[in-house]
């Protein structure tokens, strides 16, 4: 069964500070005030935000946080497995996805929106394909498709 998830453009309830601290601790990162604010922003902003979008939200809460600090924190989150980097179709801006479960991304060229897409049948086909190919000296551990197109109306 395929699932296609349009992100709702309302901000979800922010996670509690103790939940944020626990996520950082599990990833082996210190829970500084800046990291807590950046992680919270990443989790509550809709869709797949850019570092600039995260910075705008964080700067509204803590004006002294620079864009460079946001990039550095997001990169450490990626390294620690708390988030993933998702490129736009043009690759111009790095976007971030706090959902690290296996799923794919559909990129709408009209709206610049990145939509999550999950299909276990497709995942099984990809795994079978690579198992049959027997890639020499390479063992895939995970994968994510990035499909570019545009939304079409059904009516």
């Amino acid at each position: 069964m395929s699932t296609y998830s349009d992100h709702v453009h309302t901000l979800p309830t922010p996670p509690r500070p103790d939940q944020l601290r626990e996520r950082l601790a599990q990833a082996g990162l210190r829970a500084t005030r800046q990291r807590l604010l950046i992680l919270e922003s990443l989790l509550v902003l809709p869709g797949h935000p850019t570092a600039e979008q995260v910075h705008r939200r964080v700067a509204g809460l803590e004006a002294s946080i620079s864009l460079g600090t946001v990039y550095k924190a997001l990169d450490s989150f990626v390294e620690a497995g708390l988030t993933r980097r998702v490129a736009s179709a043009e690759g111009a801006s790095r976007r971030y996805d706090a959902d690290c479960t296996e799923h794919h991304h559909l990129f709408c060229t009209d709206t610049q929106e990145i939509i999550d897409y999950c299909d276990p049948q497709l995942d099984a086909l990809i795994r079978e394909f690579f198992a049959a190919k027997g890639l020499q000296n390479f063992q895939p551990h995970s994968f994510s498709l990035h499909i570019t197109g545009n939304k079409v109306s059904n009516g």
Side-chain angles (χ1 to χ4, degrees):
M1 180 174 124
S2 303
T3 56
Y4 168 90
S5 165
D6 263 327
H7 287 283
V8 178
H9 293 286
T10 58
L11 297 180
T13 306
R16 295 187 322 266
D18 61 310
Q19 293 171 317
L20 295 170
R21 280 188 187 85
E22 178 63 25
R23 284 181 88 153
L24 288 168
Q26 287 177 345
L29 297 171
R30 282 184 335 124
T32 64
R33 173 159 170 70
Q34 293 175 329
R35 282 186 181 147
L36 290 166
L37 289 171
I38 293 165
L39 180 58
E40 176 187 79
S41 296
L42 182 64
L43 292 169
V44 300
L45 285 169
H48 301 78
T50 63
E52 290 78 8
Q53 290 169 321
V54 171
H55 179 253
R56 268 195 299 279
R57 182 178 187 277
V58 171
L61 304 169
E62 181 74 44
S64 65
I65 296 179
S66 71
L67 179 58
T69 298
V70 170
Y71 268 109
K72 186 176 176 182
L74 290 171
D75 287 344
S76 70
F77 294 170
V78 169
E79 243 179 76
L82 280 174
T83 189
R84 293 193 292 179
R85 240 182 243 109
V86 181
S88 64
E90 295 79 28
S93 65
R94 285 188 282 184
R95 312 246 316 247
Y96 295 87
D97 190 350
D99 179 0
C100 291
T101 62
E102 279 191 5
H103 66 279
H104 309 289
H105 294 106
L106 307 176
F107 181 82
C108 179
T109 55
D110 293 338
T111 65
Q112 306 297 298
E113 182 180 13
I114 296 175
I115 303 155
D116 288 335
Y117 179 76
C118 185
D119 186 334
Q121 187 178 7
L122 174 61
D123 295 349
L125 286 171
I126 293 170
R127 280 189 191 90
E128 290 168 17
F129 174 83
F130 281 105
K133 288 291 178 189
L135 298 175
Q136 198 167 13
N137 300 323
F138 186 79
Q139 176 63 48
H141 298 288
S142 66
F143 55 88
S144 175
L145 292 179
H146 186 92
I147 302 167
T148 304
N150 61 318
K151 289 184 178 181
V152 293
S153 60
N154 292 338

